[in-house]
Amino acid sequence: MKFKKTHDCGCLRISDVGQEVVLSGWVNVRRDHGGLIFVDLRDREGITQVVFNPQIDDAAHIIAHQLRSEYVIAVKGVVQARPLGTVNPNLITGQIEVLVYEVEILNTSKTPPFEIEDKLDASEDLRLRYRYLDLRRPKIQKNLIFRHHLCQKIREFLDRHRFIEIETPFLIKSTPEGARDYLVPSRVNPGRFYALPQSPQLFKQILMIAGFDRYFQIVRCFRDEDLRADRQPEFTQLDIEASFIDEEEIFELVEGLVVYIFREVLKREIQRPFFRLKYKEAMERFGTDKPDTRFGLEIVDVTEIVKESDFQVFKRAIEKGGQVKGIKVSSLEDISKGEIDYLTSLATLYGAKGLAYFKVKEGRCDSPIAKFFDADIQRRILDSLKAEEGDLLLFVADDFRIVSESLGNLRLHLGKRLNLIPDGTFEFLWVIHHPLVEYDEEEERFKAMHHPFTSPLAEDFPSLEKNPLEVRARAYDLILNGVEIGGGSIRIHQEEIQKQIFGLLGISPREAEEKFGFLLEAFTYGAPPHGGIALGLDRLLRIMLNLDSIREVIAFPKTQSATCLMTGAPFEATQQQLKELNIRLDLPCNGA
RNA sequence: GGGGCGGUGGUGUAGCUCGGUUUAACACAUCGGCCUGUCACGCCGAAGAUCGCGGGUUCAAAUCCCGUCCGCCCCGCCA
């Protein structure tokens, strides 16, 4: 390099006119006028127009002829105000330009497979294959820089609240329950494996026992499950745990953190305190444990009303212990048959056997099935849903889970379809008091809904033996705009209760000893009461930046089939590697 | 494991439903020429695609059928 850069490409202003500067960056675009040549020079801070004039320096002008997109260059020149009428209001540096008298080509570039600009014109697989080029796009750079600022502010806030960041190991012991683990073979211990952590759960509890009474970590977690737009096999959590703390203090802390980061990084004020909704109420009103409360369309129970109707579908569902619920959609009476069919297919996707509908016309229910409901029942249905002329009513009859899930998802679909969801708003919500356990039909046993270390609610403790499904947990999820961005609980810190829960979950004392013996033992050495929470950083960022996928806030994300298109991971291990690890492959082969 | 959408010059798309007037079209990018105030530069010209891959139907396949691979969205899964 003949000269060192003195400024970034986004910082020069009209007040810098007259200065000699050196800029380095990538050629965004070259505009050759035969005489004058303009180059938009780009670095991560912005774009500055540099001008080559043959009358100023012929040699530089000749070199400028060779410049192509994405060449890396350094230019030395003088900042000048742009001539009248040539100011570009679309650039922050648009009032000035750099008149170049010396240029050095630091590197050439092949023509990139797609243009480096914010307007997306490349498919996602191409972007991932050439991620280093994709990452040059200002929009993606902005996302990652935003992510950096967010982490800075999180650390600042938690440090100020006396939290200590401690790293926990990645090569750990597999724990039962939860997601599928990624395994790493141990070379020095033939036949044995490490698991990559799904979260630092056990270690952060151990740190509480160790006396680090306020811990946090911005940490990678790994889960070997199928991917979604908001699920990657490796993702980042803000993991927090504290001792001598209860739910109220966790809410206080996390709400304070959220208000702080939104104010500092996004310049947005978030209202406190956040709404709180009990799990049961969330399920009943919104059909989900992570309701989007930015719009209405709440679910209404009409079981008691319609059980007296002549509609066999409803009656049978109720007789089998199920229920009938509905939602009201305003002014949709002119909905097409095709769209009703689509809504029905959506409901069946979540297990519903069908979708009943009424259109409200002249104070009555208009529907192929209306004849099964006498005038009094129709009136009571309309009353309970507060239905008015022109409304569309949709009903599902089935067990609680199917009714909730299908109507909950129908509600979400209609909210989007009818533009009921306000843009650019952030609605936080605590969902609390989840059931401690749920019943797993397949395995014929209770499973922890959160994780096996979650404390039951003290007042529900007596039901633990007789009626475990009724026991609520001291758990809480943080929901933002209908997305679960965090969850946690107050933990069990007494060995006896922990053993009792393991018993409930069908984990034998022997198995518990084998899997979590170290934790149970640690509990016997003075474990303080403690609890915590983990926030999904990628999801939080995705929503803060109003993006469709967490892949846009992760520098090197994986595809849906968990591969990296840039590096080709995962790879086929060599025979040598497998031999060292004492691993022999037994792959299913096609027809051989 | 299952359902849906997509794959056509370097890139993004049209063509596919009804097989043949298609010599596969358009835009951007690329290359060459001209151009001293452009910034979506402009003008003139050029090059560039056996239509993801394999098989089948047919006189004839980008187009129809079967299989397969890749990407995306979803169900299951994700304490």
Side-chain angles (χ1 to χ4, degrees), chain A residues 392-403:
Chain A
L392 173 74
L393 313 180
L394 301 166
F395 298 94
V396 173
D398 217 303
D399 65 37
F400 177 71
R401 194 187 61 81
I402 288 175
V403 168

Side-chain angles (χ1 to χ4, degrees), chain A residues 334-347:
Chain A
D334 57 346
I335 188 169
S336 68
K337 181 81 178 70
E339 193 160 2
I340 293 262
D341 287 347
Y342 180 73
L343 295 177
T344 305
S345 72
L346 207 64

Side-chain angles (χ1 to χ4, degrees), chain A residues 447-463:
Chain A
K447 274 195 154 172
M449 193 136 169
H450 187 57
H451 60 56
F453 316 106
T454 300
S455 184
L457 216 55
E459 57 195 279
D460 291 355
F461 206 75
S463 311

Side-chain angles (χ1 to χ4, degrees), chain A residues 424-494:
Chain A
T425 56
F426 299 99
E427 205 151 303
F428 285 91
L429 171 75
W430 290 108
V431 173
I432 58 174
H433 294 180
H434 301 69
L436 186 70
V437 297
E438 56 194 340
Y439 192 70
D440 187 317
E441 303 280 352
E442 250 173 60
E443 296 185 35
E444 296 184 335
R445 68 175 185 95
F446 294 109
K447 274 195 154 172
M449 193 136 169
H450 187 57
H451 60 56
F453 316 106
T454 300
S455 184
L457 216 55
E459 57 195 279
D460 291 355
F461 206 75
S463 311
L464 203 55
E465 300 271 310
K466 281 176 289 184
N467 216 346
L469 287 173
E470 298 294 309
V471 175
R472 292 165 295 172
R474 294 182 70 182
Y476 32 80
D477 280 352
L478 183 61
I479 312 301
L480 169 54
N481 293 355
V483 176
E484 181 194 328
I485 58 160
S489 63
I490 302 299
R491 327 296 182 188
I492 299 165
H493 67 282
Q494 290 135 315

Side-chain angles (χ1 to χ4, degrees), chain A residues 50 75 89 92 354 464 480 589:
Chain A
V50 300
V75 296
I92 23 170
L464 203 55
L480 169 54
C589 41

Side-chain angles (χ1 to χ4, degrees), chain A residues 253-443:
Chain A
L253 175 80
V254 173
E255 290 182 15
L257 173 67
V258 164
V259 167
Y260 183 71
I261 59 181
F262 270 74
R263 182 184 296 146
E264 293 286 317
V265 189
L266 206 56
K267 314 293 175 212
R268 290 284 296 248
E269 284 304 317
I270 300 295
Q271 291 307 312
R272 283 194 59 195
F274 299 170
F275 289 114
R276 293 180 200 179
L277 205 54
K278 293 197 170 79
Y279 171 88
K280 197 159 175 247
E281 192 181 343
M283 292 300 292
E284 271 165 11
R285 287 172 55 192
F286 303 99
T288 172
D289 60 354
K290 45 179 167 53
D292 190 335
T293 48
R294 290 175 298 173
F295 64 103
L297 292 186
E298 288 192 26
I299 297 170
V300 175
D301 193 336
V302 294
T303 309
E304 288 305 312
I305 300 171
V306 302
K307 75 178 179 191
E308 290 159 28
S309 76
D310 298 321
F311 191 44
Q312 289 306 315
V313 173
F314 283 4
K315 290 185 79 164
R316 268 198 301 274
I318 296 168
E319 277 159 24
K320 276 195 275 182
Q323 48 180 216
V324 182
K325 288 183 177 173
I327 54 177
K328 173 191 73 178
V329 193
S330 294
S331 312
L332 247 192
E333 63 167 339
D334 57 346
I335 188 169
S336 68
K337 181 81 178 70
E339 193 160 2
I340 293 262
D341 287 347
Y342 180 73
L343 295 177
T344 305
S345 72
L346 207 64
T348 54
L349 186 62
Y350 296 94
K353 289 171 199 74
L355 185 66
Y357 68 91
F358 292 153
K359 295 173 180 175
V360 184
K361 270 191 189 151
E362 291 156 23
R364 299 174 56 90
C365 298
D366 178 29
S367 165
I369 58 165
K371 57 185 177 230
F372 299 113
F373 303 83
D374 66 34
D376 177 56
I377 293 180
Q378 289 196 14
R379 188 186 47 74
R380 284 160 66 200
I381 291 174
L382 296 185
D383 282 354
S384 69
L385 280 141
K386 299 189 179 67
E388 287 170 18
E389 193 65 19
D391 289 351
L392 173 74
L393 313 180
L394 301 166
F395 298 94
V396 173
D398 217 303
D399 65 37
F400 177 71
R401 194 187 61 81
I402 288 175
V403 168
S404 301
E405 272 186 40
S406 51
L407 283 177
N409 281 289
L410 225 44
R411 172 181 176 270
L412 269 184
H413 167 79
L414 289 164
K416 283 175 203 154
R417 152 82 171 73
L418 301 170
N419 282 323
L420 301 178
I421 305 176
D423 240 9
T425 56
F426 299 99
E427 205 151 303
F428 285 91
L429 171 75
W430 290 108
V431 173
I432 58 174
H433 294 180
H434 301 69
L436 186 70
V437 297
E438 56 194 340
Y439 192 70
D440 187 317
E441 303 280 352
E442 250 173 60
E443 296 185 35

Side-chain angles (χ1 to χ4, degrees), chain A residues 177-296:
Chain A
E177 313 274 314
R180 195 177 293 110
D181 283 320
Y182 276 100
L183 295 183
V184 179
S186 167
R187 177 185 54 81
V188 292
N189 300 282
R192 303 179 76 159
F193 295 82
Y194 303 99
L196 299 179
Q198 297 174 28
S199 83
Q201 184 60 36
L202 299 185
F203 288 94
K204 67 174 175 177
Q205 290 190 245
I206 296 277
L207 285 170
M208 292 306 105
I209 299 170
F212 290 97
D213 70 347
R214 294 178 155 228
Y215 142 93
F216 83 100
Q217 187 179 187
I218 294 175
V219 62
R220 197 69 55 84
C221 302
F222 306 86
R223 292 178 192 178
D224 186 5
E225 298 290 351
D226 286 355
L227 289 83
R228 289 286 189 282
D230 62 353
R231 268 163 40 189
Q232 283 273 308
E234 46 180 317
F235 61 100
T236 305
Q237 278 189 351
L238 167 59
D239 195 43
I240 295 176
E241 194 81 5
S243 299
F244 316 111
I245 198 167
D246 59 19
E247 289 90 333
E248 291 303 327
E249 289 164 279
I250 296 267
F251 296 163
E252 171 81 22
L253 175 80
V254 173
E255 290 182 15
L257 173 67
V258 164
V259 167
Y260 183 71
I261 59 181
F262 270 74
R263 182 184 296 146
E264 293 286 317
V265 189
L266 206 56
K267 314 293 175 212
R268 290 284 296 248
E269 284 304 317
I270 300 295
Q271 291 307 312
R272 283 194 59 195
F274 299 170
F275 289 114
R276 293 180 200 179
L277 205 54
K278 293 197 170 79
Y279 171 88
K280 197 159 175 247
E281 192 181 343
M283 292 300 292
E284 271 165 11
R285 287 172 55 192
F286 303 99
T288 172
D289 60 354
K290 45 179 167 53
D292 190 335
T293 48
R294 290 175 298 173
F295 64 103

